[in-house]
Amino acid sequence: MRLHQLSLTAFGPFPGTVQVDLDEVGRDGLFLLWGPTGAGKTTLLDAVVFALYGRVPGARGEEKRLRSDHADAGTRTEVSCELTLGAERLRVVRRPEQQRPKKRGEGWATEQAKLVVSRLTDGGWEPVSTRIDEGSEHLRTRLGLDVHQFCQVVLLPQGDFARFLRAEPEHRADLLRTLFDVDRFARAEEWLAEERAAARERTAGHRAQLSTLLARVAQIADVDVPEDLAPELVGASTGGRVLPWVDEVAAAAGRRLTDAAARADAAAAEVAATDAELATARALQERHVRRDQATGELVGLEQREPVLTPLRAERDAGRRAEPLRDVLLAAGTAALAAERAAGALTAARAAWVPVSEGQEASATVARELRDRVAESRALLPEADRVVALERSIARLGRVTEELSRRCGSAEQALAALPARLAALEERVAEARSAAAELPGARAALEGAEQALAASRAAERLEDRLGALREDVQSRRDARSDARELWLDLRSRRLDGMAAELAAGLADGADCPVCGATEHPRPATAAGEPVTAADEDAARADADEAETALTAAAGRLEAAERELAALRARAGELPAAEQAERVAALTTVVRATTELAAGLGKAEELLRRSVAEREEAATRLTADREELGARRAEREALAVALAELRTRLDTARGTDRDLAARVARLSAAAGACEAVTAAETDELRARVQADAARRAAEERAAAAGFDDVLAASDALLEPGRLARLDRQLDEHDHRVAVLRAVLADPELADLGPRPDLAALEDRCAGTTRSREEAVAQLEQARRCTSSLADVVGRITDAELELAELRDWADQVTALADLTHGRGANTRKMRLQSFVLAARLEQVAEVASRRLLDMSGGRYTFLHSDAQGRHGARGGLGLDVFDEYTGARRPTKTLSGGESFMASLALALGLADVVTAETGGVRIDTLFVDEGFGTLDAQALDAVMTVLDELRRGGRTVGVISHLEELRTRIPTRLEVIAGRNGSRLAS
């Protein structure tokens, strides 16, 4: 980073505009910013920080008073800074939020903060960003330092480092935390603490679970838990008598199970003997019951015999009548058919009487009626012709009306055609004008759409820039981690270089360092050795991370350039106004296009309208001729219709019409024919009924019946004969079976009835005894089974608790170690250990400069000893005095020595922070105050170190009010203070 130009207006004590050409004042690499106290020297540095980060360092930034109290109300507070970051030259212009007079009326208006970042290209300054968040991110990614690191690395405030030099170790960590990222180590401490609490909680939970299982064992076995296995004592240590006590309880339950099984077997044997005796008695009782039941049932059956005698007679008659069923049914059917035929004849004669006109029904009368029907039906087409003539006359009436209407409409249309033709000619003229204007309107719309597309693309690209910036930041973090790992491995390899060389020594071979052939005490590695391959691999990873960061930054830069181009194409109008303009132009183009598109149609309509006029005139003449012809035809048809109606009226007689006459005569003929047919059917049915009756009488007499009615009465309903057979046969079979049962020898000679009640009571008693024994056995089995399951779970719980206890001990030890407790004898927290490592690097780098400034007398020594009253150590810092060979606290240094130590510490810390942030090159440095405490010799040594700092093109600015520095540093920038504010000397 190199500063080129600085301009500030109405900022701090400067009421006007102050411009500083740092390229000019720093051409020798060293310049003096000189002025009295309070003149505003540090304000110039505050302006640099404000331009880059939007805030002022230290306590001055807490008040947020950036605007000069001496400035005019119309002058805006603004800082402009030109600098080079990497290969990019940027110009940063920033304004804070400030009050200004209202342009209209009285009072004040708030003007919002503003940031403009531009990039220098071959074509001049090109805008990078005009948004505060976007521009700040662009600067931060290229600087690689946050505001605290920038203020410590670039500005080197000596007052802060003097306090840092004399501070207690616990207070020294505050500054180091602002410069070095130890958040991940703090998160590791928190994670270990959380894991420790979680492990303890899980262990307590499993102890409670084990205590619950022990209580379950006591409940199952109905015993008490020993006092040494109380819930608060279970699992508290690795030793215990949980499993022995559980095994003892399980063994006692096993013995109870054996005793219960023996008692259950004895009770079962007694029940078996009693059951056998009871079974014998029940068998004898059952034979008594069977004999009594058979005797009683046989008596009952014999008593029912008189009731069954009529049923037996009914079954005999039914069996004799069954073969006559067909002839009896045939005779009945024929008789019914004869009755139906007689009824039909009566009905037919009753229907013929109303239409007979006094005639007797016969075949001759029926034929005469059919002939009259045929004559009337022959005239029906003439009636249809009447209807056709009526329809033709009505159709011709409609045709003449339509022709009259068409002629009238055609006359009106011909009268309106001249006005219509004039309107069409005007429409054709408008369409031709729209076709001429359409190309210009489309060009304007295309330009507006391109601007709108560019504006929307810019908005989408702005959304994507956030992801690109996050990618750059993540890759920068990865680059920092990889570089830190490489530097750590390199440092560890350098520390273990002696061990690495010693590993290659052999007795009798020359030492590559001293040449000796004997190696009595070869060095050994203090920790895990780091090889050259490890270092090369870490360096390759760091280079790869650097390459990835460069690629990501390139993508971000390309996207930012694309955004600037899109904004240039989009113009000044907001996207909303552009969208409104596109919508308006689209409406105009759409309307013009519609008008122009209608040109061909309008011309065609005009041509068709002219042709339509000629066609309408021709059609009107033809319609008038057609109207005269149709009127003549209608009059001729009306005359023919009148003649036909006269002839038909004569033919229909008294009937309503010919159709009614045909229907009446047809009905009369049908009634006459029905009478003749019914007479024939009645005679045939009567003859058949007489024949069937005679056949039935002959069969009934042959079967032993007195007549047909007796045979019909003997017929049984379907299924009745089968039911009677089944009922009577079952009765006879049951009587035979019962007599056979009573004749069985097993029931002949029976002893006295047994006393079943006494035997059952005795059997119930033995059964209750057996059930009690079985219940006790089942209880003992459940107890044993439950104990076996719980014992297995207790064994698993014991093992799991032991594992959890071991894990909790390990996590607790590790958490205590990272928090400075337990085995951590130095009482250093993990983040303090990391800061101590960084402080050790700072002390090593700063010692080289302190040796030069102190004439080889002082070097820094890092101390990890505990602080006062047992405070945690790791951040101690002492100096080693080469003159006395003693180690001294930094508080014992004199004023000048403290200044040199603070300056050396600031420069060393700047170098380490630069390496920590990825090796960002700092080409402009400022050293603020502190030179007044040096004598001439010490000042010479300090100036020598400052001269060394400007090697390689670096520019160093010294801020001081010391008069002697004006003679030592020829290039100066002087600040002059006055009642109206400060200014720079010309």
Side-chain angles (χ1 to χ4, degrees), residues 457-475:
E459 293 177 354
R460 292 192 297 271
L461 187 57
E462 286 179 354
D463 297 336
R464 191 161 61 89
L465 280 177
L468 291 175
R469 293 189 183 101
E470 292 179 359
D471 182 44
V472 169
Q473 181 60 37
S474 65
R475 295 186 183 278

Side-chain angles (χ1 to χ4, degrees), residues 703-870:
F705 291 102
D706 296 336
D707 52 22
V708 173
L709 293 177
S712 299
D713 293 338
L715 281 177
L716 299 177
E717 62 182 6
R720 172 65 176 172
L721 182 60
R723 289 196 296 273
L724 289 174
D725 287 341
R726 186 169 54 254
Q727 181 180 358
L728 295 174
D729 292 345
E730 287 178 357
H731 177 270
D732 296 340
H733 175 70
R734 185 59 182 164
V735 169
V737 169
L738 291 174
R739 287 173 178 169
V741 169
L742 292 175
D744 189 356
E746 186 179 11
L747 302 181
D749 296 326
L750 296 178
R753 291 179 178 271
D755 189 359
L756 286 180
L759 287 174
E760 288 176 351
D761 291 341
R762 185 156 57 88
C763 184
T766 57
T767 300
R768 284 194 298 273
S769 300
R770 185 192 61 181
E771 289 175 351
E772 292 175 358
V774 170
Q776 293 176 359
L777 175 61
E778 183 62 24
Q779 182 179 4
R781 285 175 178 170
R782 286 198 302 270
C783 177
T784 305
S785 176
S786 300
L787 284 177
D789 178 61
V790 176
V791 167
R793 292 167 60 188
I794 288 175
T795 303
D796 295 340
E798 275 277 274
L799 294 176
E800 189 173 357
L801 180 59
E803 294 175 357
L804 286 176
R805 192 162 45 232
D806 293 341
W807 167 249
D809 293 341
Q810 294 176 9
V811 171
T812 300
L814 188 57
D816 291 342
L817 183 67
T818 58
H819 282 75
R821 295 189 293 269
N824 191 335
T825 57
R826 298 188 182 277
K827 298 186 179 298
M828 292 176 61
R829 299 184 65 166
L830 178 60
Q831 51 184 318
S832 299
F833 178 79
V834 175
L835 293 176
R838 294 291 185 266
L839 182 59
E840 189 174 7
Q841 294 177 1
V842 171
E844 181 180 354
V845 175
S847 292
R848 293 194 291 270
R849 291 195 170 92
L850 183 57
L851 275 173
D852 294 338
M853 285 187 284
S854 63
R857 180 175 180 181
Y858 293 113
T859 56
F860 284 112
L861 294 177
H862 170 252
S863 173
D864 56 4
Q866 296 182 8
R868 293 180 298 177
H869 308 296

Side-chain angles (χ1 to χ4, degrees), residues 11 45-57 60-62 64-66 79 92-97 113-115 117 132-133 135-137 139-140 143 146-147 150-151:
F11 190 86
L45 306 186
D46 292 345
V48 174
V49 179
F50 175 73
L52 298 179
Y53 293 96
R55 55 178 295 186
V56 175
R60 299 182 300 278
E62 298 176 0
K64 298 183 180 180
R65 288 178 55 84
L66 304 178
V79 175
V92 182
V93 179
R94 189 187 292 267
R95 287 184 178 181
E97 181 181 298
K114 181 180 179 182
L115 172 63
V117 181
I132 294 179
D133 55 347
S136 299
E137 178 65 18
L139 294 173
R140 190 186 67 80
L143 282 166
D146 60 25
V147 63
F150 182 85
C151 293

Side-chain angles (χ1 to χ4, degrees), residues 363-544:
T364 301
V365 174
R367 283 195 298 272
E368 291 176 354
L369 291 173
R370 291 296 179 186
D371 292 339
R372 294 167 63 186
V373 168
E375 291 173 358
S376 299
R377 184 175 285 115
L379 293 176
L380 286 176
E382 296 298 327
D384 294 337
R385 185 165 170 252
V386 170
V387 176
L389 288 174
E390 291 175 346
R391 290 176 180 174
S392 297
I393 292 172
R395 179 180 58 79
L396 288 174
R398 291 193 298 270
V399 169
T400 55
E401 291 178 1
E402 176 63 21
L403 288 173
S404 299
R405 186 188 60 76
R406 282 166 54 184
C407 289
S409 299
E411 292 171 355
Q412 294 177 359
L414 285 174
L417 276 177
R420 181 182 175 190
L421 290 175
L424 288 174
E425 290 173 353
E426 182 179 357
R427 180 178 174 185
V428 169
E430 291 178 354
R432 287 173 178 168
S433 176
E437 296 173 357
L438 183 59
R442 284 177 174 170
L445 175 60
E446 183 178 359
E449 287 176 342
Q450 291 177 355
L452 178 59
S455 178
R456 290 175 175 171
E459 293 177 354
R460 292 192 297 271
L461 187 57
E462 286 179 354
D463 297 336
R464 191 161 61 89
L465 280 177
L468 291 175
R469 293 189 183 101
E470 292 179 359
D471 182 44
V472 169
Q473 181 60 37
S474 65
R475 295 186 183 278
R476 177 175 291 107
D477 295 339
R479 189 270 311 271
S480 299
D481 294 340
R483 188 172 182 84
E484 179 183 353
L485 177 61
W486 169 51
L487 293 176
D488 181 59
L489 291 177
R490 182 179 182 185
S491 175
R492 288 167 55 191
R493 182 166 178 254
L494 291 176
D495 293 341
M497 186 60 71
E500 182 177 344
L501 293 174
L505 296 178
D507 292 337
D510 294 338
C511 175
V513 178
C514 63
T517 58
E518 294 182 357
H519 319 294
R521 290 192 307 275
T524 58
E528 183 179 356
V530 178
T531 64
D534 296 336
E535 182 182 353
D536 293 340
R539 183 172 184 177
D541 292 341
D543 294 341
E544 183 179 353

